[in-house]
Amino acid sequence: VLFLIFYFSSNSKKRQNELEGTQTLNRCLMLEKYLAQVSQELEIPMPKKEKEKIYRLALNEDFVITQQELKPGVNFFCDLIPCPDEHKEALFLYALKANILGERTEDCYLGLDAAEEKLTISLTVNRELTYSEYKNKLEDFTNQVVFWSEELDQYYHQKLRKS
């Protein structure tokens, strides 16, 4: 009886490890699979893998959405506008206010790139996504990219440059 319990117990653990390995493999391939499907639907070239689990989807010559697969989930990132030389602090405060108050950011965060040369936007989803959820998040993020690039540019040119 003890042998049978050990046998079933060890086989259960082995099967569980196999299932977890398959789930991890499926998660690792999620973004690639979803990007292939989006590319086919939009009739655009499949984005190239830049690094391990990082893809760059060019919307046009101005916007490239970088997507990084997480375990689980995905991170979306995009450069918005170059940092201006003048009135930089006021523009940063405007972006900070949007982040803190969640004003029209739809769970995205405005920030700076590592070189502090461009204002950026990012969205992190820390859970597994179905294709439909992924596609909706990508569409929402794309809308935020367009909105915030126009909003920040307009804010800078209309409100800050006049003062």
Side-chain angles (χ1 to χ4, degrees):
V1 174
L2 184 60
F3 172 74
L4 287 176
I5 293 172
F6 174 74
Y7 176 76
F8 287 120
S9 173
S10 65
N11 275 346
S12 295
K13 287 181 182 178
K14 181 179 176 185
R15 180 70 182 138
Q16 183 178 359
N17 289 341
E18 288 173 0
L19 286 173
E20 287 173 0
T22 303
Q23 289 170 349
T24 301
L25 179 61
N26 288 340
R27 271 186 291 217
C28 291
L29 299 175
M30 177 205 69
L31 183 57
E32 188 172 338
K33 184 171 79 173
Y34 290 173
L35 278 169
Q37 197 167 344
V38 163
S39 299
Q40 185 178 12
E41 287 177 16
L42 298 177
E43 298 177 357
I44 59 173
M46 171 69 178
K48 299 269 191 250
K49 188 185 294 188
E50 188 174 283
K51 293 181 185 174
E52 188 64 27
K53 301 179 190 174
I54 297 177
Y55 297 84
R56 294 174 55 87
L57 177 64
L59 299 177
N60 57 35
E61 55 211 33
D62 295 327
F63 301 120
V64 177
I65 295 179
T66 301
Q67 299 175 59
Q68 179 178 15
E69 186 152 357
L70 306 175
K71 290 183 182 180
V74 63
N75 182 56
F76 300 94
F77 176 87
C78 188
D79 292 334
L80 294 174
I81 62 170
C83 281
D85 294 328
E86 299 175 332
H87 307 291
K88 198 182 281 193
E89 293 79 14
L91 190 61
F92 293 167
L93 285 173
Y94 183 69
L96 179 65
K97 180 181 169 191
N99 283 340
I100 290 173
L101 300 177
E103 291 182 352
R104 302 173 295 185
T105 55
E106 302 293 326
D107 298 327
C108 296
Y109 290 97
L110 303 172
L112 288 171
D113 68 345
E116 297 182 6
E117 295 174 350
K118 296 178 184 170
L119 286 160
T120 63
I121 188 167
S122 63
L123 170 66
T124 301
V125 182
N126 288 318
R127 63 180 177 80
E128 299 236 5
L129 298 170
T130 63
Y131 174 71
S132 177
E133 292 171 320
Y134 165 79
K135 187 177 171 185
N136 288 336
K137 290 289 183 189
L138 177 60
E139 183 178 350
D140 292 346
F141 184 74
T142 303
N143 290 335
Q144 288 296 307
V145 167
V146 172
F147 172 80
W148 279 105
S149 63
E150 292 172 357
E151 178 73 14
L152 292 169
D153 191 55
Q154 184 178 35
Y155 180 79
Y156 177 74
H157 286 96
Q158 288 185 357
K159 297 195 177 174
L160 297 179
R161 300 245 3 230
K162 288 182 180 181
S163 53

